[in-house]
Amino acid sequence: MRLALNAITDELRRLKASGVESVPVSDEGIASLRALVGPAVPARPAAPQRAAARQAEPENGRPEPPATPVVVLPKGDKAAQWAALRQLVQDDPVCRTKVRPGKKIVLGVGSLDAAIMFVGEAPGAEEEVQGEPFVGPAGQLLNKMIGGMALSRGDVYIGNIMNWRPDLPLGPDGVQTGNRPPTDAEMAHCLPYLRAQIDIVNPRLLVALGATAAKGLLGGKAFGALGEVRGRWHDFSGRPLMVTYHPSYILRNPTNRTKRLIWEDLLKVMERANLPVSEKQRGFFL
Ligand code: URA
């Protein structure tokens, strides 16, 4: 497909360079071009727009690398921008294909004026039903972590790298059990939507929950184990980024030691966000 498109664009460039200003294209020609390009992105009356789409490299033999959207936010206040972004994600043909019938695409939730934005991996079983991030068991724990900071869910913004639940083969009952981390191509498709949420909310700092969020937000910065990057400040496009464990890690290892590790990271977040820290908070899980 790419070869055919390259040949066409090369020929159009050659014609343009030789002074040709327009080329008649028959209905059959348009139909053939549509077939090469794939399903059309539905036109939206108002921006934001997917200004262009880059094709991700094939990965793990998966036949269908999703194109990477480029989001251009419309002018307007944060609420209008967020609503427009949500519509864009809802209309994204890749998101629509990836989300299972009857399940929901998931965008972030919380205060659009939040100073702190938490970023997780991907929706799980509960999230794809409710269409909201972190509403299952990991979400309950995240709520407690936020509560420990003397904040509530509505004071922060909570997003994910992914807008859909990465698929696994369904069980005999037709239900997906378990989750898998997203592929690089899947992450590349959703990251522009997370970036747009960061642009809209404009938080003072970001907290990556777990390895997938760290991988997505640290971009090309390679790391092996999460311990190599956790508990330290990094940079995400000029914004401080703290990497810590995913709440599900604590659910799997509910010891005071692991709770303290994640809590120490959150104490650093509180300090950087100029939140008051009481002696009691300082001593949690010691
Ligand atoms: N885990 C995540 O990373 N995100 C969710 O929204 C839920 C569970």
Side-chain angles (χ1 to χ4, degrees), residues 98-100 102-106 123-132 135 164-166 176:
K98 293 288 179 181
V99 76
R100 284 204 201 278
K103 304 292 192 257
K104 292 185 177 158
I105 289 168
V106 180
E126 289 82 358
E127 289 77 17
E128 68 169 357
V129 170
Q130 295 189 40
E132 184 172 329
V135 289
W164 67 80
R165 183 183 185 192
Q176 175 175 338

Side-chain angles (χ1 to χ4, degrees), residues 41-259:
V41 174
R44 296 214 52 73
Q49 302 152 3
R50 252 174 247 108
R54 271 175 282 125
Q55 201 70 22
E57 290 305 316
E59 196 185 348
N60 302 335
R62 280 174 195 275
E64 186 202 354
T68 305
V70 178
V71 180
V72 181
L73 291 171
K75 294 208 183 326
D77 63 17
K78 288 183 172 196
Q81 286 189 322
W82 191 89
L85 177 65
R86 185 167 72 167
Q87 195 58 53
L88 192 64
V89 179
Q90 300 279 8
D91 290 347
D92 180 326
V94 174
C95 294
R96 293 173 75 104
T97 309
K98 293 288 179 181
V99 76
R100 284 204 201 278
K103 304 292 192 257
K104 292 185 177 158
I105 289 168
V106 180
L107 198 65
V109 69
S111 166
L112 296 183
D113 294 316
I116 301 172
M117 183 185 292
F118 290 92
V119 178
E121 177 174 310
E126 289 82 358
E127 289 77 17
E128 68 169 357
V129 170
Q130 295 189 40
E132 184 172 329
F134 283 99
V135 289
Q140 304 305 317
L141 184 53
L142 179 60
N143 291 348
K144 283 190 188 165
M145 289 158 49
I146 294 167
M149 300 165 79
L151 297 173
S152 72
R153 208 171 147 95
D155 294 324
V156 299
Y157 190 89
I158 304 171
N160 273 320
I161 295 288
M162 294 298 300
N163 300 105
W164 67 80
R165 183 183 185 192
D167 64 311
L168 283 171
L170 299 179
D173 51 359
V175 174
Q176 175 175 338
T177 48
N179 298 305
R180 67 163 171 85
T183 64
D184 286 353
E186 288 171 328
M187 287 171 66
H189 187 84
C190 292
L191 270 168
Y193 296 134
L194 177 64
R195 210 174 249 283
Q197 291 168 84
I198 296 170
D199 288 344
I200 293 170
V201 177
N202 194 18
R204 286 180 66 170
L205 50 91
L206 297 162
V207 184
L209 301 167
T212 297
K215 190 173 164 193
L217 292 174
L218 290 173
K221 191 172 160 186
F223 62 91
L226 185 67
E228 289 172 28
V229 288
R230 181 232 121 219
R232 287 191 286 116
W233 289 106
H234 304 266
D235 174 81
F236 178 83
S237 301
R239 226 176 277 272
L241 164 67
M242 171 58 67
V243 175
T244 191
Y245 292 112
H246 193 281
S248 60
Y249 175 74
I250 309 294
L251 291 177
R252 291 192 302 272
N253 306 278
T255 64
N256 268 8
R257 187 176 165 276
T258 51
K259 288 177 190 167

